[in-house]
Amino acid sequence: MAANVAGLIHTPGEPIALEAVDQWVPADGELLVRVEAVNFNPIDAKLQRSDLFQSTYPLIVGFTFAGTVIATGRGVESVQRGDRVAVARWGRTGDDHRFGALQRYALALEQNTLRLDLESTTFEVASGLIANLATVVSALSIHMGLAKPPLDGSVQPLPPPHSNMDARRKRLLVYGGSSAVGGLAVQYAAAAGYEVVTTASPANRPLVKARKAATHIIDHCQPREDLLDEIRAHGPYDGGIFEAIGSQTTTQLMADLLRDTGGQFFSTSPSPGDDRLPANVTKTWSGYSEDLVTNPENRELRAWYMERFLPRVLKNGTIWPNPGLWLPGGLRSAQRALVLLHEGKVSGKKVLINPQE
């Protein structure tokens, strides 16, 4: 086995430094993975530039990855050496650099690991789903109270005419339908039987349309007032509003959308200016995937997600992540990946590297 090398951040704001690190030994309930796909998330770029979570340094970022099991600790039963797996860095591993994705060999908790049963399931797709889809399940089904999709792929039928229920499905607004989380939210909500209105740029409209899940796709590049008018015209959003970008710009847009009527929207991230929202508008955000996997109250939903729903969608391809943008050069391209995310130069794709290159 080759020596371990990692991309380290020694202090907030510093660029990544490639350095030799220890070859970790898995303890009870842990496994060692040869990392073959690091799937970057915007939080990785934010962590490099600010100490959001008062992290322990040196820091190895990277919260989702996939690869091959090299060794297992005592008590590990669901995977064995040679298995292909996808991993999310949840719970206590979040502040332990041994579990960070940006290295050739990373530790993983068995409970945060999904064995990939099919050789046809790529590392790209599996690493693109495991954490981002957990975010969607938590945001929509825990925080927003929406129904889960049926496992058999069917959709609840419309209520019969003249029933006490509305004659249509509830409608959800997902702002940012071509983002990594927004695209999955559109698919998840549609599979659960909701009408979904979403937004995308003209360049990313084909990606959103290809998912065959959105009822309406609104051009978010049009003039601001026209955009707001079109969003309102496709309401009311009795299923809720999920803002999947989490920027200052999109937060202000949601504030303007709800300014006259008041209301709540759910977002993926805090942003500057959140404290200046109108008094009648509430922005709600959370560490959604952590809520799903670490909160004891959500134990049953976590089991449903990790043991039934996620394996099923990976098998049948009914929910799929944005296509990958692979950067050559392995760990040498990690800093470039973080810069691309920080500068907002990635749209409709997921950035990945293979640390073995």
Side-chain angles (χ1 to χ4, degrees):
M1 186 165 53
N4 197 11
V5 176
L8 297 170
I9 300 172
H10 287 280
T11 59
E14 282 192 1
I16 285 177
L18 299 187
E19 299 177 12
V21 294
D22 290 342
Q23 192 63 267
W24 319 119
V25 177
D28 294 0
E30 298 175 356
L31 49 142
L32 182 67
V33 178
R34 182 174 67 234
V35 182
E36 295 168 72
V38 176
N39 208 308
F40 288 88
N41 292 295
I43 190 65
D44 297 320
K46 292 180 180 179
L47 281 172
Q48 183 179 30
R49 287 165 172 79
S50 62
D51 194 10
L52 290 177
F53 305 132
Q54 290 75 53
S55 302
T56 301
Y57 290 86
L59 176 66
I60 300 177
V61 298
F63 283 85
T64 52
F65 61 94
T68 305
V69 177
I70 299 300
T72 59
R74 290 186 303 176
V76 173
E77 299 179 351
S78 63
V79 297
Q80 60 186 358
R81 183 174 179 175
D83 283 346
R84 301 167 69 251
V85 295
V87 178
R89 189 182 178 183
W90 289 317
R92 67 175 176 83
T93 66
D95 195 38
D96 188 332
H97 66 269
R98 300 175 303 161
F99 294 81
L102 284 185
Q103 51 188 326
R104 288 180 179 167
Y105 300 92
L107 290 177
L109 288 182
E110 181 184 18
Q111 66 193 48
N112 294 345
T113 300
L114 179 70
R115 181 177 181 271
L116 306 180
D117 292 326
L118 299 178
E119 285 297 323
S120 58
T121 301
T122 65
F123 289 149
E124 175 183 315
V125 169
S127 62
L129 280 184
I130 186 169
N132 283 335
L133 188 53
T135 293
V136 168
V137 172
S138 176
L140 271 59
S141 290
I142 297 175
H143 290 266
M144 297 178 67
L146 304 188
K148 306 191 305 291
L151 289 172
D152 62 5
S154 64
V155 174
Q156 289 294 105
L158 289 172
H162 311 300
S163 71
N164 292 328
M165 299 175 63
D166 286 339
R168 64 171 180 82
R169 299 184 177 101
K170 287 188 175 181
R171 185 168 296 176
L172 177 76
L173 172 64
V174 175
Y175 192 92
S178 65
S179 67
V181 170
L184 300 179
V186 171
Q187 292 175 293
Y188 181 84
Y194 296 89
E195 291 186 2
V196 184
V197 176
T198 192
T199 62
S201 67
N204 286 330
R205 184 182 179 89
L207 170 65
V208 179
K209 189 175 181 180
R211 288 189 156 111
K212 299 180 180 178
T215 305
H216 301 284
I217 305 172
I218 298 171
D219 175 10
H220 68 221
C221 295
Q222 61 184 302
R224 185 184 185 85
E225 288 306 315
D226 293 341
L227 171 59
L228 288 169
D229 286 345
E230 188 169 354
I231 293 174
R232 293 187 185 105
H234 287 295
Y237 300 106
D238 44 0
I241 297 174
F242 183 55
E243 187 273 295
I245 306 299
S247 70
Q248 185 174 8
T249 299
T250 52
T251 293
Q252 186 58 52
L253 186 74
M254 294 299 101
D256 291 344
L257 177 68
L258 297 171
R259 189 179 302 276
D260 293 338
T261 61
Q264 179 183 30
F265 69 97
F266 293 80
S267 178
T268 52
S269 175
S271 61
D274 284 357
D275 57 344
R276 297 189 297 274
L277 289 170
N280 63 344
V281 176
T282 302
K283 173 180 177 177
T284 300
W285 68 275
S286 183
Y288 293 115
S289 63
E290 283 287 343
D291 292 344
L292 173 64
V293 301
T294 63
N295 189 333
E297 295 179 358
N298 300 321
R299 187 179 295 110
E300 290 186 8
L301 185 61
R302 175 197 167 112
W304 174 84
Y305 174 68
M306 289 293 290
E307 298 170 15
R308 302 176 68 193
F309 186 65
L310 180 57
R312 185 174 185 85
V313 299
L314 282 171
K315 180 179 179 180
N316 60 28
T318 51
I319 295 180
W320 41 271
N322 283 355
L325 173 62
W326 286 89
L327 302 183
L331 289 169
R332 297 184 301 279
S333 294
Q335 183 59 47
R336 180 188 169 202
L338 296 177
V339 170
L340 288 173
L341 289 171
H342 175 69
E343 295 180 349
K345 294 182 177 179
V346 180
S347 180
K349 293 185 180 296
K350 289 283 289 179
V351 180
L352 299 100
I353 63 169
N354 181 351
Q356 305 305 317
E357 292 182 357

